[in-house]
Amino acid sequence: MGRLSPTSRILLVEDEQAHAELIRRAFESRPQFELKHASCLREAEAELRSEPLHLVICDYRLPDGTGTQLIRTKNGTHPPPVVVMTSQGSEAVAVEVLKRGAIDYVVKSPETFADMPHVADRALRQWGHIVERDEAQEQLRERERQLRLVTDAVPALIAYLDRRRRFQFVNAAFERTFGRPREWFVGRPMRSVLGAEIYDDVLEAHCDAVLASQDVAFEAWLPMGSPEKRFMRQEFVPHRADDGGVLGFYALLTDLTEVKRAEEERLKLQKAAAAQERLAAVGTTAAMFAHEVANPLHTMYLHAQLVESTLSEGDAVQCRADLGVIKDEIARLNALLLEFRTLSRGAVLQLEPVELGPLLDALVTLHLQEPRVQVIREIQADAPPIRASADKLKQVFLNLCKNAVEAMPDGGRLTLRVRVDDDMLVVELEDTGPGIPPDLDVFEAFKSTKAAGTGLGLPVARQIVIAHGGTIEHEPAAAGTLFRVRLPIAGPTE
């Protein structure tokens, strides 16, 4: 109740009537003041209880006590300020009065009585400033309390540090992590709290960046008050003044240790699963390879027995026929082993400039002399050369061409196309054969539509194309099958 208002209610506590009358007269010309009078403490206490007052002016010595007894301490609300009057200008009394909390102290005199309205003005203005200051401080304390409630509810470690990198505030998570009360942190350097090693090696440069007005975020393993390091995400934000200068910085440290360990465990499980899949694939491939090897070996064994029996009968013609079968099976086994070795080792590239047009022309001339199959070439004249392994690409396109020809035993048409599509060179081989069954994955090892096929030609071809940074695919054509190979013009990275 100490603020100035249109009418300020003042209680004058004075037992000498003459002094009270002089003061009353001084206030007569000041209608903004409403003056009440009490002659002792008992009457003053009754007035204080009956209605709110803005100011108390009281004599130091009263019949039933001293004026200092009217000075109240705050109890939720602001009591009225007290101006104490005394007849003697004792320094000891002045010190006592002001220490007890009086707003002012004056020595009685006719001049003082006449000037009492100005004393009241001064006291009320001063009290108004005190009330505003106290309310601002109370609001600040309330904000701090709310801030503490919010930050303490957050599991992350939150702190504020000044420009000298000394802690000014920490939340409850800091207390729990380090096992120290928050008061212990205040004023301590970050280096002494987090440790010289981690500060010098990890944090100092980041703190320099923050104090240069940069936001910083990073992740690292930190000891964090425990022998066991914790994986923390650390974010530092500068506290900027109105002029842009940096006063300090906020630190937010989030414990991601369990997340990190869960991620590491997930990666371990993924690697274990991948290894298990690889082992399963190796087992499947080994079983299929054993099956493919067993068939020709069984055939060779049977024909070797036939040769043994026919030799005793002197049938040279039959012996030669059986030996021919054995030789064919040996060649098939050799081809199977070569392709399997290529598939298992991967494609090793010796890069050189290669023009696909001449390469395909040479393949047709040397290996596709089949009169029943018409070969049509649609090769873009300005197709650029590519950096590739000529031998490996010959292996790819020879395999595709032979497959196409073998798919047309009664004759047909094979169309070879070469064109540029952006930064890729596209090669298409289209036949007029019966097509590929929709449920057959021709790029899976040991899968073949040919009775004598190894089932490794197309898997090897795909491996070579991928090693060149390209792709290979097939799709049904108007009459037959279309294989499309895309190779980068720039070539693979060496």
Side-chain angles (χ1 to χ4, degrees), residues 129-173:
H129 296 324
I130 292 173
V131 170
E132 289 177 354
R133 182 201 65 194
D134 290 348
E135 289 179 349
Q137 290 177 343
E138 183 60 32
Q139 290 175 358
L140 180 60
R141 284 191 291 270
E142 178 60 20
R143 292 194 192 100
E144 291 178 347
R145 189 186 69 82
Q146 293 176 356
L147 175 63
R148 178 167 295 189
L149 288 175
V150 172
T151 56
D152 285 352
V154 176
L157 281 71
I158 301 175
Y160 177 76
L161 300 98
D162 61 21
R163 284 192 60 82
R164 294 189 300 166
R165 308 170 201 209
R166 294 179 180 273
F167 285 94
Q168 299 300 318
F169 169 83
V170 297
N171 69 339

Side-chain angles (χ1 to χ4, degrees), residues 65-267:
T66 63
T68 56
Q69 292 176 256
L70 295 175
I71 300 174
R72 301 286 191 267
T73 58
K74 288 183 292 184
N75 185 19
T77 61
H78 285 86
V82 176
V83 175
V84 177
M85 302 181 296
T86 181
S87 298
Q88 298 178 350
S90 168
E91 183 177 341
V93 172
V95 170
E96 177 198 351
V97 165
L98 294 176
K99 286 179 66 175
R100 291 286 299 270
I103 193 70
D104 202 355
Y105 169 80
V106 295
V107 177
K108 289 182 179 182
S109 71
E111 293 77 16
T112 302
F113 297 150
D115 194 50
M116 197 58 71
H118 296 103
V119 173
D121 272 333
R122 184 175 66 243
L124 287 171
R125 280 196 299 271
Q126 183 179 349
W127 188 247
H129 296 324
I130 292 173
V131 170
E132 289 177 354
R133 182 201 65 194
D134 290 348
E135 289 179 349
Q137 290 177 343
E138 183 60 32
Q139 290 175 358
L140 180 60
R141 284 191 291 270
E142 178 60 20
R143 292 194 192 100
E144 291 178 347
R145 189 186 69 82
Q146 293 176 356
L147 175 63
R148 178 167 295 189
L149 288 175
V150 172
T151 56
D152 285 352
V154 176
L157 281 71
I158 301 175
Y160 177 76
L161 300 98
D162 61 21
R163 284 192 60 82
R164 294 189 300 166
R165 308 170 201 209
R166 294 179 180 273
F167 285 94
Q168 299 300 318
F169 169 83
V170 297
N171 69 339
F174 255 96
E175 295 183 295
R176 292 192 298 270
T177 300
F178 288 88
R180 302 270 190 176
R182 68 184 72 203
E183 293 77 14
W184 179 86
F185 293 90
V186 176
R188 291 183 182 271
M190 177 186 281
R191 190 173 189 266
S192 68
V193 173
L194 299 181
E197 178 183 354
I198 193 65
Y199 179 81
D200 295 341
D201 295 344
V202 179
L203 296 177
E204 185 174 18
H206 294 297
C207 291
D208 290 342
V210 175
L211 293 174
S213 196
Q214 300 178 27
D215 292 8
V216 172
F218 67 100
E219 296 176 353
W221 287 95
L222 300 178
M224 300 310 297
S226 169
E228 178 188 4
K229 289 187 176 182
R230 311 292 295 176
F231 190 75
M232 309 294 291
R233 174 171 175 79
Q234 300 164 75
E235 300 175 69
F236 298 108
V237 180
H239 174 207
R240 297 180 178 90
D242 293 339
D243 61 359
V246 177
L247 303 176
F249 57 92
Y250 301 96
L252 174 65
L253 290 78
T254 307
D255 192 343
L256 301 179
T257 306
E258 300 308 320
V259 175
K260 183 72 172 177
R261 287 173 177 167
E263 177 66 17
E264 291 175 349
E265 187 64 25
R266 185 182 66 82
L267 290 176

Side-chain angles (χ1 to χ4, degrees), residues 14 253 295 317 331 353 361 378 384 396-397:
E14 174 60 70
L253 290 78
N295 287 334
V317 175
D361 286 338
E378 299 176 0
V396 171
F397 294 120

Side-chain angles (χ1 to χ4, degrees), residues 253-300:
L253 290 78
T254 307
D255 192 343
L256 301 179
T257 306
E258 300 308 320
V259 175
K260 183 72 172 177
R261 287 173 177 167
E263 177 66 17
E264 291 175 349
E265 187 64 25
R266 185 182 66 82
L267 290 176
K268 287 180 182 178
L269 292 175
Q270 283 183 342
K271 290 180 180 179
Q276 189 66 27
E277 289 179 2
R278 286 194 296 271
L279 287 175
V282 168
T284 301
T285 302
M288 297 173 71
F289 184 75
H291 175 73
E292 294 297 324
V293 170
N295 287 334
L297 285 177
H298 181 65
T299 302
M300 291 164 60

